[in-house]
Amino acid sequence: FGDAGKSYSFDGGSDIKGPKPNGFTPINTVSCWVKVGKETGNQYVVDFGGNNNWIEIVGGNHVRTGGTSKNLDSKKSLQTNQWYHITKTSTGSKITLFINGESDSSVDSGSFDPGAITIGEFSLSGWGINGSIDDIRIYNRALSEAEVAALYELEKPETTLTIGLVA
């Protein structure tokens, strides 16, 4: 991560594991770019120790995230082989899901303690993503709606640069 023009590709059975990020609290923001390669069951993008603390693609075309006992599914459907900027903010009492810088859905939810990070797969099983992930950002605060929109604008590719883009 951090190399312009490059992303990590996952085949549904691989992942990247790391420790709990320093300063990562129940009040946080997780943001990344995702491109789903094919529509299959549950495809985990990033997971922080299970316990309803993750971002996944379900059914190949919807984003799902969770907190304590409530799941949150996106209203927007995703298309395969197209990049999407996905952001999850957690205030400690509410989770909001953003797609391409716009608020998609939210749910009241209790706080949770994030654990070690697994990218590309669910830490408690083998549900991995078949696709690409790039530019993961983790904040120890819930970004505002305006900040999420600004982050999307900062990172989105120019329209003319997407022609012929393969990763």
Side-chain angles (χ1 to χ4, degrees):
F1 297 96
D3 289 333
K6 296 182 181 179
S7 63
Y8 281 92
S9 295
F10 296 89
D11 61 6
S14 58
D15 61 34
I16 299 169
K17 293 185 184 296
K20 176 181 175 178
N22 289 334
F24 193 41
T25 66
I27 299 172
N28 64 67
T29 299
V30 178
S31 174
C32 60
W33 285 88
V34 177
K35 180 171 70 170
V36 177
K38 67 179 181 178
E39 294 183 19
T40 59
N42 299 31
Q43 300 186 61
Y44 279 75
V45 177
V46 63
D47 171 49
F48 296 97
N51 301 320
N52 295 320
N53 192 7
W54 34 254
I55 298 172
E56 70 174 308
I57 309 299
V58 291
N61 64 357
H62 281 86
V63 180
R64 176 178 288 165
T65 189
T68 59
S69 61
K70 295 184 181 179
N71 290 339
L72 177 61
D73 289 347
S74 68
K75 297 173 186 167
K76 181 179 180 80
S77 294
L78 309 184
Q79 295 178 1
T80 56
N81 299 310
Q82 182 174 326
W83 284 102
Y84 292 92
H85 187 251
I86 298 172
T87 304
K88 169 193 161 191
T89 62
S90 301
T91 65
S93 61
K94 184 178 185 178
I95 293 174
T96 304
L97 181 63
F98 297 83
I99 299 177
N100 291 342
E102 297 180 359
S103 178
D104 179 88
S105 51
S106 62
V107 66
D108 291 335
S109 178
S111 66
F112 47 86
D113 187 28
I117 186 172
T118 302
I119 300 167
E121 191 171 59
F122 185 48
S123 62
L124 303 178
S125 73
W127 295 329
I129 189 168
N130 187 314
S132 300
I133 302 172
D134 200 11
D135 296 330
I136 293 181
R137 290 176 176 240
I138 302 168
Y139 295 86
N140 65 356
R141 63 187 181 91
L143 296 182
S144 70
E145 194 166 333
E147 288 174 315
V148 172
L151 181 59
Y152 168 71
E153 290 298 323
L154 173 72
E155 294 183 333
K156 78 176 184 180
E158 295 294 323
T159 305
T160 59
L161 296 178
T162 59
I163 298 169
L165 181 66
V166 295

